[in-house]
């Protein structure tokens, strides 16, 4: 409601203010024009010239075409049109009114042009971005002064041609007449900073030291010098310049705040801000902007409140930064409050603030209000259009975004690189790929493809469209690349699974930052190369790259997948040391790591310490309990989550159903399965059906499991038929197993697990011919049994074992210990060797790993063993009895869950 009232009251007030302001200026100029018609006003040549000068200056400030033409006519009628002084100001007036063609006609009629005349024409062309015509005028000049050179240099820079700025500076130095002009140096330093040419920056610094510019001028150059070093990424060099200045100006302080935020982060920048002897609005704006850009939205808002309380009046830059902060934390209430304050305190709503409001409302989901603010603006530029388009695109409204883009082109508004980059992002999908290709062609045709931002957008677009070849081609054609360009290509090759190519691009990068390292780290972990990922993390620390929360969350997840607890604990300690221990994403990864390493108690402790738990936190602890076979605990956590008003998603229900399956909670599992759609709108997926088939199958309800499959709203996948097959093996149901395998074969499954299960079912039933048939089918299809392996971590080394291992250096001691254990457990009378007599199996890898743990680890320490496949019945019984005869705690994680063995019992209750 507040948003609606705000938008209705905005436009009329602004319109009245603008009309009143324009009318006052028009009246003042009209009064001056009347003086020229008044016969009683006897003015001298000097007085009349002064009046014309003032009138033309005023006309230029309001850019009034009719008044400009009237003044020109008056000038001709008074016979003063031959005055070079007034002709030059006539040129200036026409140029400022964007009447460059009229200015050209005046210029061509000037008989005795001076340097000011030529410079005025250069400035006029530069203002309109017509650099080729400015170049022509510059080349035709009979003589040039420092203003001529500086006008061309600043023109190139303002029109995004910093390389040409530096070329012009080099020509000026070669010319030798205007080298000691300080403004040319400041312009060259801006261009150098924007291109990050550090070698040239050092040369410019040395050249400045050769000239005696005087203390006041030198201070201005020092300001530019610091700015150049900071933008070149060499904040330490800027720091040296700053330390040598006796009384740094506010500009220097403000530059160093910005530089510190880039080099050291927000904390050091804020310390510098607090050390300032005095502050201006730029200081406050810089700090507010730094907080906003680094994701500290709340701090940005509180700094704005402090600025206001100290009596510093905000300007457009302040409002834009604060609105950006509101957008980053999606605080619509704060944003609307600020909007109301702007309307109350400011006479007009300029396009910068208006664009910020449009962006804020759009990103917060108030698209209608965003459009109203946009429509109320008196001026629409590329920024305001881009804000509206990106806001609409943010919510996936691609068609609406493209329609707005078409309206923008009809306006007409000149497209800039950010608009094109935004709309290229909208085309990042198969649906609009043809439009994206057309836009790519447009950027090449207009020469905008040289922009790094557009190049990055093109690479990203082709990557998301699945065309890595075109993405690579676009990357190769980029004249300049930044870290984002290289990172985009790493992501592209990661997307198609080409890890080797991704690493090649990573190694070729001229410079890397934490984002790049994280991208490569994620590439390894997402594709299962966890060990390589952890090696990269180690290299990253060795190179001195400061990790962030993403680094730690990814690395700890890799430790979880490998079940490497000791290294994981070390990385957790490093995260806590650097202040990331309380980060919810890092904490979630720690919960998962402890869970997957069988330390569910430690996982619960970490979970309890998370102050603001999100859905991922709850899902992580539930998945941990499910994997550790504690189904009732999963249900308890799930109900606690609902009490905390946290709505579950499909992953939550996978954990609940999995927990019920591993614990035999059939009634509870059915309840949650059939209520999840009604209670929370979560529709069952293949994962949920797979869990339910597993649950019913384990409980011996095979026909009910088959009926559930038959009633599925979509075609069952291989995982579902595999779950049914596993249940058939448990309950020796060979006929239904054959049916399940028949359906599995339709998927052309290459995984050996299903075939091995069927062979084992036949073997257990004594159908040896059927066993031979299955093995023959496997040979014909070229399917090999996945080799089982187990591993255990001892003294910072991971020891891997396979069936009947012979290569381990302590293998004799391992077999001796295992034979000793087998004799002891046989003496208990609880071991029945007939379990595996039909298959004549040797020592499986998990038995060997447990035996190695017994001879290598102290008696008080639990033995943790990991296996890639499901533990067999014989090994499960043997390890359970070893825990009895040794009084040791043994924890085995197989391919499906954890088994906690203690005093002759397993946490699974022999139900796995």
């Amino acid at each position: 409601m507040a948003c609606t009232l705000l938008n209705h009251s905005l436009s009329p007030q602004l319109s009245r203010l603008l009309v009143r302001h324009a009318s006052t200026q028009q009246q003042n100029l009209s009064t001056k024009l009347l003086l020229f018609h008044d016969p009683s006003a006897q003015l001298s040549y000097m007085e009349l010239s002064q009046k014309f000068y003032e009138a033309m200056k005023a006309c230029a400030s309001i850019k009034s075409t009719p008044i400009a033409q009237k003044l020109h006519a008056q000038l001709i009628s008074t016979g003063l049109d031959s005055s070079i002084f007034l002709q030059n100001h006539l040129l200036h007036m026409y140029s400022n009114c964007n009447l460059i063609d009229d200015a050209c006609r005046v210029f061509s009629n000037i008989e005795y042009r001076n340097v000011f005349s030529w410079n005025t024409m250069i400035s006029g062309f530069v203002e309109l971005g017509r650099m080729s015509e400015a170049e022509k005028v510059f080349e035709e000049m009979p003589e040039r002064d420092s203003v001529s050179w500086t006008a061309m240099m600043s023109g190139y820079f303002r029109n995004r041609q910093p390389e040409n700025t530096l070329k012009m500076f080099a020509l000026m130095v070669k010319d030798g007449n205007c080298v000691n002009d300080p403004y040319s140096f400041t312009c060259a330093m801006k261009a150098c900073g924007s291109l990050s040419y550090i070698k040239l920056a050092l040369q410019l610094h040395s050249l400045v030291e050769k000239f005696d510019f005087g203390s006041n001028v030198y201070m201005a150059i020092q300001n530019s010098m610091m700015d150049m070093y900071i933008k070149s990424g060499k904040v330490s060099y800027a720091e040296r310049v700053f330390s040598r200045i006796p009384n740094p100006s506010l500009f220097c302080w403000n530059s160093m705040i910005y530089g510190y935020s880039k080099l050291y982060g927000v904390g050091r920048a804020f310390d510098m801000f607090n050390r300032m002897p005095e502050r201006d609005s730029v200081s406050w704006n810089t700090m507010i902007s730094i907080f906003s850009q680094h994701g500290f939205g709340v701090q940005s808002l509180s700094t704005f409140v402090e600025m206001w309380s100290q009596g510093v009046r905000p300007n457009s830059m302040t409002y834009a930064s604060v609105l950006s902060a509101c957008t980053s934390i999606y605080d619509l209430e704060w944003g609307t409050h600020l909007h109301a304050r702007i309307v109350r305190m400011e006479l007009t709503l300029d396009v910068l603030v208006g664009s910020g409001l449009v962006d804020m409302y759009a990103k917060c989901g108030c698209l209608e209000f965003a459009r109203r603010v946009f429509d109320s603006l008196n001026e629409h530029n590329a920024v305001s259009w881009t804000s509206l388009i990106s806001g609409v695109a943010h919510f996936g409204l691609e068609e609406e975004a493209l329609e707005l883009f078409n309206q923008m082109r009809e306006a007409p508004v000149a497209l800039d690189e950010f608009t094109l980059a935004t709309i290229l992002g909208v085309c990042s999908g198969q649906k609009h790929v043809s439009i994206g290709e057309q836009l790519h062609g447009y950027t090449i045709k207009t020469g905008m493809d040289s922009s790094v931002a557009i190049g990055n957008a093109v690479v990203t677009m082709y990557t998301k469209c699945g065309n890595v070849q075109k993405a690579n081609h676009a990357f190769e054609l980029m004249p300049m690349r930044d870290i984002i360009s290289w990172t985009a290509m790493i992501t592209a090759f990661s997307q198609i699974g080409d890890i080797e190519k991704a690493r090649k691009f990573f190694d070729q990068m001229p410079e890397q930052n934490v984002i790049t390292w994280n991208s490569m780290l994620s590439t390894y972990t997402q594709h299962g190369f966890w060990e390589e990922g952890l090696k990269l993390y180690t290299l990253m620390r060795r190179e001195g790259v400061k990790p962030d929360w993403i680094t730690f969350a990814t690395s700890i997840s890799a430790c979880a997948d490998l079940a490497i607890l000791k290294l994981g604990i070390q990385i957790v300690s490093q995260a806590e040391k650097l202040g990331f221990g309380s980060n919810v994403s890092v904490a979630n990864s720690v919960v998962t790591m402890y869970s997957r390493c069988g330390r569910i108690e430690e996982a619960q402790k970490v979970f309890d310490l998370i102050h603001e738990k999100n859905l991922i936190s709850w899902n992580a602890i539930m998945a941990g309990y499910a994997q550790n076979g504690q189904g009732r605990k999963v249900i308890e956590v799930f109900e606690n989550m609902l009490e905390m008003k946290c709505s579950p998603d499909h992953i939550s229900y996978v954990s609940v159903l999995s927990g019920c399956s591993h614990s035999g909670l059939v009634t509870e599992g059915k309840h949650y399965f059939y209520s999840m759609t009604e209670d929370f709108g979560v529709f069952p997926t293949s994962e949920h059906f797979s869990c339910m088939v597993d649950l019913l199958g384990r409980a011996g309800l095979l026909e009910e499991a088959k009926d559930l499959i038959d009633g599925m709203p979509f075609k069952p996948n291989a995982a579902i038929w595999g779950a049914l097959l596993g249940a058939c093996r448990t309950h020796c149901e060979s006929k239904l197993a054959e049916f399940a395998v028949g359906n599995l074969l339709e998927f052309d499954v290459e995984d050996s697990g299903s075939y091995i299960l069927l062979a084992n079912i036949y073997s257990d039933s004594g159908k040896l011919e059927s066993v031979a048939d299955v093995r023959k089918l496997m040979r014909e299809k070229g399917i090999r049994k996945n080799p089982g392996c187990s591993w255990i971590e001892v003294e910072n080394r991971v020891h891997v074992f396979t069936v009947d291992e012979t290569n381990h250096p302590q293998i004799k001691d391992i077999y001796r210990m295992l034979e000793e254990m087998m004799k002891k457990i046989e003496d208990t009378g609880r071991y029945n060797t007939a379990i595996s007599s039909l298959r004549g199996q040797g020592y499986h890898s998990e038995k060997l790993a447990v035996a190695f743990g017994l001879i290598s680890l102290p008696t008080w320490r639990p033995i943790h063993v990991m296996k890639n496949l499901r533990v067999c019945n014989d090994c499960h019984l043997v390890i359970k009895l070893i825990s009895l005869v040794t009084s040791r705690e043994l924890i085995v994680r197989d391919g499906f869950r954890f088994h906690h063995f203690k005093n002759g019992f397993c946490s699974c209750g022999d139900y796995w």
Side-chain angles (χ1 to χ4, degrees):
M1 183 66 183
C3 294
T4 307
L5 292 172
L6 195 62
N7 285 284
H8 277 307
S9 62
L10 190 63
S11 184
Q13 179 188 5
L14 286 174
S15 299
R16 287 194 297 271
L17 286 169
L18 284 172
V19 169
R20 190 189 315 150
H21 179 69
S23 299
T24 304
Q25 288 190 310
Q26 294 273 1
Q27 288 170 3
N28 291 339
L29 269 177
S30 298
T31 303
K32 291 179 181 179
L33 286 171
L34 285 172
L35 289 173
F36 303 139
H37 288 287
D38 187 2
S40 62
Q42 297 296 321
L43 301 173
S44 66
Y45 170 80
M46 291 300 294
E47 289 173 331
L48 197 56
S49 296
Q50 182 66 25
K51 292 290 183 184
F52 268 112
Y53 162 72
E54 291 173 359
M56 285 189 284
K57 185 179 178 183
C59 179
S61 67
I62 65 168
K63 304 182 185 299
S64 172
T65 299
I67 294 178
Q69 292 170 341
K70 288 179 183 178
L71 281 170
H72 191 179
Q74 287 289 333
L75 191 66
I76 295 170
S77 67
T78 56
L80 296 177
D81 57 319
S82 59
S83 164
I84 187 63
F85 171 77
L86 293 176
Q87 284 175 326
N88 286 340
H89 285 290
L90 188 62
L91 286 175
H92 182 264
M93 178 185 68
Y94 274 137
S95 298
N96 274 34
C97 292
N98 295 331
L99 301 170
I100 194 66
D101 293 331
D102 291 320
C104 287
R105 281 189 285 271
V106 172
F107 180 75
S108 64
N109 290 325
I110 299 176
E111 189 174 355
Y112 302 105
R113 302 166 187 151
N114 58 19
V115 174
F116 187 89
S117 313
W118 292 91
N119 289 345
T120 304
M121 286 306 300
I122 291 173
S123 298
F125 284 124
V126 162
E127 284 292 329
L128 294 174
R130 292 160 66 167
M131 289 306 300
S132 58
E133 289 158 292
E135 288 169 358
K136 186 178 179 183
V137 174
F138 180 80
E139 291 297 329
E140 291 175 356
M141 289 183 74
E143 60 176 323
R144 304 176 184 124
D145 61 5
S146 59
V147 177
S148 315
W149 291 98
T150 307
M152 286 301 297
M153 289 168 63
S154 64
Y156 282 128
F157 184 75
R158 287 163 60 186
N159 286 281
R160 298 188 180 91
Q161 298 178 44
E163 297 96 337
N164 286 336
T165 299
L166 295 175
K167 288 177 183 177
M168 186 61 66
F169 179 78
L171 287 172
M172 185 190 74
V173 172
K174 189 176 180 180
D175 186 74
N177 292 326
C178 308
V179 182
N180 61 346
D181 174 55
Y183 301 106
S184 60
F185 272 92
T186 58
C187 197
M189 287 176 178
K190 284 181 182 178
C192 184
S194 70
L195 294 168
S196 300
Y197 288 170
I198 188 59
K199 288 184 178 179
L200 181 59
L202 293 169
Q203 291 172 357
L204 286 170
H205 188 167
S206 300
L207 198 57
V208 164
E209 298 295 338
K210 291 181 180 179
F211 294 99
D212 182 16
F213 286 112
S215 58
N216 292 333
V217 174
Y218 187 67
M219 184 177 292
I221 293 179
Q222 281 180 318
N223 293 344
S224 297
M225 197 182 299
M226 286 179 57
D227 186 60
M228 173 183 66
Y229 280 135
I230 289 169
K231 288 179 179 174
S232 297
K234 297 296 180 182
V235 180
S236 57
Y237 291 8
E239 203 170 7
R240 291 177 202 165
V241 176
F242 180 79
S243 63
R244 292 201 300 266
I245 302 173
N247 297 303
S249 65
L250 275 170
F251 180 90
C252 293
W253 281 99
N254 295 336
S255 296
M256 286 310 300
I257 291 171
Y258 173 77
Y260 271 25
S261 73
K262 292 290 183 185
L263 181 65
Y264 304 117
V266 177
R268 287 286 297 274
F270 192 53
D271 289 341
M272 174 68 78
F273 177 77
N274 289 327
R275 282 170 45 202
M276 291 183 73
E278 60 176 324
R279 303 179 186 127
D280 60 2
S281 60
V282 177
S283 313
W284 289 97
N285 288 350
T286 303
M287 201 63 237
I288 289 168
S289 178
I290 288 169
F291 277 133
S292 177
Q293 290 172 8
H294 286 78
F296 294 88
V298 175
Q299 291 86 337
S300 181
L301 300 180
S302 62
T303 305
F304 171 71
V305 172
E306 185 183 354
M307 171 187 180
W308 191 277
S309 65
Q310 293 196 15
V312 181
R313 186 177 179 85
N315 56 23
S316 295
M317 288 297 297
T318 319
Y319 290 130
S321 296
V322 178
L323 285 167
S324 177
C326 294
T327 305
S328 67
I329 59 176
Y330 300 102
D331 196 330
L332 181 62
E333 185 178 356
W334 230 103
T336 52
H337 166 74
L338 184 61
H339 188 180
R341 174 173 288 193
I342 292 168
V343 172
R344 188 171 64 251
M345 301 298 296
E346 305 299 328
L347 293 176
T348 59
L349 184 68
D350 65 30
V351 70
L352 177 63
V353 178
S355 300
L357 285 167
V358 170
D359 189 53
M360 185 272 297
Y361 280 124
K363 296 282 175 62
C364 290
C366 294
L367 297 179
E368 182 183 351
F369 301 144
R371 187 62 200 239
R372 288 183 187 177
V373 175
F374 178 82
D375 291 339
S376 72
L377 296 175
N378 290 306
E379 177 189 357
H380 293 143
N381 62 7
V383 177
S384 55
W385 277 103
T386 304
S387 297
L388 187 60
I389 292 169
S390 63
V392 171
H394 182 73
F395 288 93
L397 303 173
E398 298 170 354
E399 300 292 343
E400 289 83 346
L402 291 170
E403 177 59 31
L404 284 170
F405 177 66
N406 288 331
Q407 292 176 21
M408 176 184 177
R409 297 194 67 183
E410 292 169 3
V413 175
L415 299 177
D416 66 6
E417 59 187 77
F418 301 107
T419 311
L420 281 169
T422 301
I423 208 68
L424 282 165
V426 174
C427 300
S428 296
Q430 291 296 334
K431 187 176 181 181
H432 301 296
V433 63
S434 60
I435 298 175
E437 289 174 338
Q438 291 173 40
L439 285 170
H440 184 196
Y442 174 82
T443 64
I444 295 171
K445 185 178 178 181
T446 57
M448 295 180 77
D449 59 324
S450 60
S451 161
V452 176
I454 288 179
N456 292 342
V458 170
V459 170
T460 303
M461 178 198 71
Y462 283 129
T463 298
K464 290 185 177 179
C465 290
N467 197 329
V468 177
Q469 186 177 356
K470 282 191 175 181
N472 190 24
H473 182 65
F475 175 84
E476 295 295 339
L477 291 177
M478 290 177 69
M480 289 183 63
R481 307 179 186 114
D482 60 8
I483 287 178
I484 298 172
S485 319
W486 289 91
T487 306
M489 285 310 302
I490 292 171
T491 304
F493 287 113
S494 172
Q495 188 173 292
I496 61 171
D498 194 340
I499 313 303
E500 187 178 341
K501 202 70 175 286
R503 182 58 190 261
K504 183 180 177 182
F505 268 73
F506 176 80
D507 292 336
Q508 287 176 349
M509 291 183 69
E511 60 175 321
Q512 298 157 338
N513 63 9
V514 67
I515 298 172
T516 317
W517 285 89
N518 287 343
S519 180
M520 194 63 230
L521 186 59
S522 297
T523 296
Y524 278 131
T525 56
Q526 286 169 8
H527 290 85
F529 295 88
W530 303 299
E531 190 174 345
E532 292 300 319
L534 292 172
K535 287 179 181 177
L536 187 72
Y537 170 79
T538 304
L539 178 63
M540 177 183 180
R541 297 309 312 272
R542 195 181 302 136
E543 293 286 333
V545 181
K546 187 178 179 181
D548 61 7
W549 66 269
I550 298 174
T551 315
F552 287 117
T554 308
S555 301
I556 294 168
S557 294
C559 292
D561 290 317
L562 285 170
I564 302 176
L565 184 61
K566 194 165 185 179
L567 178 60
I569 291 172
Q570 292 174 1
I571 296 175
V572 171
S573 299
Q574 292 169 0
E576 290 174 347
K577 185 178 178 181
L578 292 173
F580 294 106
S582 59
N583 179 276
V584 66
S585 296
V586 175
N588 293 341
S589 296
V590 177
V591 170
T592 301
M593 181 194 71
Y594 279 127
S595 299
R596 291 187 181 176
C597 292
R599 303 290 183 90
I600 193 64
E601 295 83 4
E602 284 86 347
Q604 181 66 56
K605 290 175 184 176
V606 175
F607 175 80
D608 292 336
L609 291 173
I610 300 175
H611 295 295
E612 295 184 9
K613 300 175 179 67
N614 57 20
L615 180 58
I616 298 172
S617 312
W618 291 99
N619 285 347
I621 192 65
M622 284 193 291
Y625 278 118
Q627 196 173 29
N628 281 272
Q630 300 187 35
R632 295 201 178 277
K633 191 67 179 177
V634 177
I635 293 173
E636 179 187 328
V637 174
F638 181 78
E639 294 298 332
N640 289 339
M641 181 181 78
L642 298 184
E643 289 178 11
M644 298 299 293
K645 307 299 181 186
C646 182
S647 297
D649 63 359
H650 71 285
I651 297 173
S652 312
Y653 277 104
V654 169
S655 295
V656 170
L657 295 175
S658 177
C660 291
S661 174
H662 287 309
S663 302
L665 304 175
V666 177
T667 304
E668 292 85 347
K670 286 181 177 180
H671 164 72
Y672 287 111
F673 178 76
Y674 290 111
S675 65
M676 64 183 185
T677 302
E678 184 179 344
D679 292 348
F680 294 99
V682 178
F683 291 91
T685 65
S686 58
E687 288 180 282
H688 300 113
F689 277 103
S690 181
C691 289
M692 281 303 295
V693 171
D694 191 53
L695 169 65
L696 296 170
R698 286 174 187 271
L701 304 172
L702 297 177
E703 286 301 322
E704 191 174 341
K706 184 180 179 299
D707 291 341
L708 180 68
I709 294 173
D710 292 339
M712 285 176 59
F714 47 84
K715 188 177 180 180
N717 61 13
I720 293 170
W721 290 115
L724 182 62
L725 181 61
C728 291
R729 191 259 171 141
T730 302
H731 297 283
C732 300
E733 181 59 64
S734 58
K735 187 175 181 180
L736 188 58
E738 290 173 352
F739 175 74
V741 168
N743 284 279
L744 268 172
L745 292 177
E746 291 182 11
F747 294 95
D748 196 25
V749 178
E750 295 183 0
D751 179 37
S752 64
S754 302
Y755 295 93
I756 299 300
L757 269 175
L758 182 61
N760 289 342
I761 292 169
Y762 286 141
S763 178
D764 292 341
S765 303
K767 299 178 180 179
L768 299 183
E769 289 184 8
S770 298
V771 173
D773 289 340
V774 172
R775 289 177 176 169
K776 181 182 177 183
L777 181 63
M778 289 177 66
R779 284 195 298 272
E780 290 173 353
K781 286 179 169 285
I783 297 172
R784 293 186 177 184
K785 179 182 177 181
N786 293 330
C789 69
S790 301
W791 61 96
I792 180 173
E793 186 179 357
V794 175
E795 294 181 354
N796 295 327
R797 283 191 61 194
V798 176
H799 299 259
V800 182
F801 297 89
T802 57
V803 63
D804 293 330
E805 177 71 45
T806 58
N807 294 325
H808 195 277
Q810 293 175 263
I811 195 64
K812 290 183 179 179
D813 295 332
I814 292 169
Y815 276 115
R816 192 179 299 115
M817 171 58 73
L818 192 52
E819 288 167 5
E820 183 183 329
M821 287 298 106
M822 293 302 294
K823 186 175 181 181
K824 284 185 178 181
I825 65 175
E826 285 174 3
D827 291 341
T828 64
R830 294 172 56 181
Y831 180 63
N832 181 8
T833 54
I835 291 174
S836 56
S837 60
L838 287 173
R839 293 191 295 278
Q841 60 186 14
Y843 284 135
H844 278 183
S845 59
E846 57 266 49
K847 291 177 184 174
L848 297 171
V850 168
F852 179 66
L854 290 171
I855 65 175
S856 304
L857 297 173
T859 56
W860 53 265
R861 182 181 296 175
I863 297 172
H864 290 259
V865 172
M866 309 296 160
K867 185 177 181 179
N868 64 331
L869 303 176
R870 180 181 182 272
V871 65
C872 72
N873 291 341
D874 180 65
C875 290
H876 188 271
L877 177 58
V878 167
I879 297 170
K880 184 169 65 171
L881 293 175
I882 288 176
S883 74
L884 175 66
V885 299
T886 61
S887 299
R888 303 248 339 226
E889 184 179 357
L890 309 173
I891 301 167
V892 177
R893 190 190 86 176
D894 67 9
F896 296 87
R897 60 170 294 162
F898 272 96
H899 299 267
H900 295 258
F901 300 96
K902 194 172 183 180
N903 298 325
F905 294 94
C906 180
S907 59
C908 73
D910 298 335
Y911 189 88
W912 84 104

